[in-house]
Amino acid sequence: MGNATTISNGELQTWLIDRIAFYLDKPAESIDPAVELARYGVDSVYAISIISDIEDHLQVEVDLDEARRRETVDSLTGYLLDLIGR
């Protein structure tokens, strides 16, 4: 997707939802960015996998504890955009 600094909120959110849907084996359309990820069954194993994907995708180091405090895709997207300095 090119340089991480050019990623938009919408692009990042769509990518995150796709990754979460992949791990949960659910259609991406069923993931509401405003609903707590725990309600979808995102546990610590999924979270670590998703964070690893984020680090690879954005080329940043993500603090797992900080990321886990973001309970929705919306809040996680905001945190990641701050992290990459957008």
Side-chain angles (χ1 to χ4, degrees), residues 10-25:
E11 287 170 327
L12 182 55
Q13 189 170 82
T14 298
W15 181 85
L16 267 175
I17 288 171
D18 285 345
R19 297 313 301 151
I20 292 163
F22 168 79
Y23 284 112
L24 298 179
D25 198 24

Side-chain angles (χ1 to χ4, degrees), residues 18-27 30-31 37 39-43 46 50:
D18 285 345
R19 297 313 301 151
I20 292 163
F22 168 79
Y23 284 112
L24 298 179
D25 198 24
K26 295 180 185 284
S30 71
I31 309 289
L37 292 169
R39 299 237 333 250
Y40 292 113
V42 175
D43 61 16
Y46 288 131
I50 292 164

Side-chain angles (χ1 to χ4, degrees), residues 1-83:
M1 190 181 280
N3 188 332
T5 57
T6 63
I7 195 166
S8 73
N9 183 72
E11 287 170 327
L12 182 55
Q13 189 170 82
T14 298
W15 181 85
L16 267 175
I17 288 171
D18 285 345
R19 297 313 301 151
I20 292 163
F22 168 79
Y23 284 112
L24 298 179
D25 198 24
K26 295 180 185 284
E29 308 79 60
S30 71
I31 309 289
D32 181 334
V35 171
E36 290 180 13
L37 292 169
R39 299 237 333 250
Y40 292 113
V42 175
D43 61 16
S44 56
V45 174
Y46 288 131
I48 290 167
S49 299
I50 292 164
I51 299 297
S52 176
D53 286 353
I54 291 167
E55 289 180 330
D56 290 345
H57 185 66
L58 297 179
Q59 297 297 298
V60 293
E61 193 170 319
V62 177
D63 182 308
L64 184 60
D65 291 333
E66 275 301 312
R68 297 265 336 251
R69 284 191 199 102
R70 295 352 189 249
E71 296 181 341
T72 66
V73 171
D74 280 338
S75 61
L76 183 57
T77 302
Y79 165 68
L80 294 172
L81 288 173
D82 286 347
L83 198 62

